Amino acid sequence: MKPNCKDIAQRVIAQEAAAVATLQKFVDDDFERAIALLLNCKGRIVLSGIGKSAIIAQKIVATFNSTGTPSIFMHAADALHGDLGIIQEGDVVMILSKSGNSPEIKALIPLIKNFGNSLIAICGNEHSDLAKQADIFLNTTVPNEACPNNLAPTTSTTAQLVIGDALAVCLMEIKGFKDEDFAKFHPGGTLGKKLYLRVADVFVHNEKPAVYPHQSLKEVIVEMTQKRLGVTAVIDEEQNLVGIITDGDLRRMLKKNTDIEHISAKDIMTIHPKHISKDELAITALDIMRKNAITQLVVTDNKKYSGIIHIHDLLKEGLI
């Protein structure tokens, strides 16, 4: 009979989830000691491993670096052939291994100890050389692998990844790592833009449609047509925002009125329109537009009218 893929996938997920849950009992005094050591590290965190553990170590390095903990990866095999020079005074070394007894790992341990660097082990075998010789042992023992032969690293590498994430999040919260800090390390791509791109960076490229309350319907239409944003602000002589007129307002007005000769901006404007400060994040502007089902938003600067930000602007920036 052909294996049922859905059943297999559900079994793997359930098995790995159960294994991750058992890790809670391993969060002990050694975990707290590890956090204290990482917080007080004067250098970098050097993560190492071999095989699949090396790949997980690289991911943890990426997470540490992006959350304010300087880190670097050193492959355990390459370390024995020159890469030991990566380790500097003041660095903390963290080695990941399921068995803790791989030949490369066993050869690496005394070299690190001779350098005088502190060693943290993330290991799934408390009786291994790595666990016994490390200054701090973080246990990632799992009952078995999700692999049907209990051989391919699956559940064990998931456990290593979870412990790495737990360390990173602890360090973030203790350091008070904020959104602004995160943005410094993620300036590119959509994620970076959500964290640092401000309204002022976007709306300045647009026209600045504006009319006064007494201006005629014709003047309103001409202004909206020329500025091509589907909207115009209504302002007073001091540039204070009085109201807003959209394409929709015009259509609704024309549907209700046959005599439009004497209609002025103040007769059709919406007072107290939604607006946003130019110093706010652009993603905040998008949230306001979505919540209110609108496509434009008035931009203000100290309550003075500054311009219009359009949903198309945010689309161009990749925020949608």
Side-chain angles (χ1 to χ4, degrees):
M1 181 181 294
K2 185 179 179 180
N4 187 310
C5 292
K6 289 183 179 179
D7 289 344
I8 295 171
Q10 289 173 355
R11 184 194 72 220
V12 170
I13 292 170
Q15 189 170 331
E16 295 208 14
V20 167
T22 65
L23 294 177
Q24 294 181 6
K25 66 184 179 183
F26 296 139
V27 179
D28 52 16
D29 292 343
D30 261 12
F31 188 90
E32 289 190 334
R33 289 175 56 216
I35 292 296
L37 184 60
L38 297 177
L39 282 171
N40 294 311
C41 177
K42 303 301 182 184
R44 303 156 304 169
I45 315 302
V46 180
L47 284 96
S48 188
I50 195 164
K52 306 300 185 296
S53 295
I55 297 172
I56 300 300
Q58 291 178 71
K59 191 276 176 185
I60 296 174
V61 165
T63 301
F64 278 168
N65 281 328
S66 69
T67 54
T69 300
S71 306
I72 191 169
F73 172 71
M74 177 186 70
H75 196 282
D78 292 337
L80 303 177
H81 299 279
D83 277 6
L84 267 177
I86 291 173
I87 303 175
Q88 301 295 312
E89 184 179 354
D91 291 347
V92 172
V93 180
M94 188 180 298
I95 296 180
L96 282 70
S97 175
K98 178 187 177 181
S99 71
N101 287 319
S102 301
E104 296 85 353
I105 299 298
K106 293 174 72 173
L108 183 58
I109 295 169
L111 300 175
I112 294 171
K113 303 294 281 187
N114 287 340
F115 283 0
N117 297 86
S118 297
L119 175 60
I120 298 174
I122 296 181
C123 181
N125 179 5
E126 61 183 323
H127 303 295
S128 65
D129 283 3
L130 177 59
K132 290 178 179 178
Q133 296 187 55
D135 298 295
I136 298 174
F137 167 54
L138 302 181
N139 198 340
T140 55
T141 299
V142 294
N144 45 53
E145 301 286 4
C147 163
N149 301 313
N150 195 28
L151 293 173
T154 46
T155 310
S156 60
T157 47
T158 300
Q160 292 173 346
L161 188 61
V162 169
I163 290 298
D165 286 344
L167 291 170
V169 173
C170 281
L171 292 170
M172 285 178 68
E173 295 198 17
I174 293 171
K175 292 177 180 178
F177 198 81
K178 305 294 184 184
D179 288 354
E180 313 87 76
D181 303 310
F182 200 76
K184 294 176 185 176
F185 303 114
H186 298 79
T190 301
L191 178 59
K193 287 185 176 181
K194 286 182 177 180
L195 293 169
Y196 78 83
L197 191 70
R198 301 199 176 271
V199 171
D201 302 320
V202 180
F203 88 96
V204 291
H205 305 295
N206 294 334
E207 295 280 3
K208 187 180 176 182
V211 295
Y212 295 108
H214 64 270
Q215 287 189 262
S216 68
L217 176 60
K218 179 181 178 180
E219 290 174 309
V220 170
I221 294 174
V222 169
E223 179 71 0
M224 291 174 64
T225 302
Q226 289 179 341
K227 302 302 171 62
R228 303 174 63 182
L229 288 170
V231 64
T232 182
V234 184
I235 59 174
D236 62 19
E237 297 294 339
E238 286 74 40
Q239 299 294 303
N240 294 308
L241 181 65
V242 177
I244 191 174
I245 301 173
T246 67
D247 284 339
D249 293 327
L250 291 177
R251 288 193 297 270
R252 286 185 288 272
M253 179 275 302
L254 290 171
K255 187 176 181 180
K256 293 178 181 178
N257 296 273
T258 54
D259 180 14
I260 60 174
E261 184 177 350
H262 302 293
I263 292 177
S264 60
K266 67 178 181 296
D267 299 321
I268 56 175
M269 70 181 184
T270 299
I271 61 173
H272 308 305
K274 300 295 180 184
H275 59 91
I276 189 168
S277 168
K278 69 182 183 67
D279 297 320
E280 290 283 348
L281 290 172
I283 192 66
T284 303
L286 177 60
D287 289 340
I288 294 173
M289 291 183 196
R290 282 175 167 167
K291 288 177 182 177
N292 294 278
I294 56 178
T295 56
Q296 310 101 335
L297 197 58
V298 178
V299 180
T300 57
D301 182 10
N302 291 324
K303 299 183 180 180
K304 302 292 185 181
Y305 172 58
S306 291
I308 301 291
I309 185 170
H310 196 285
I311 197 166
H312 289 164
D313 303 324
L314 305 176
L315 183 61
K316 288 177 184 177
E317 294 293 343
L319 294 180
I320 302 175

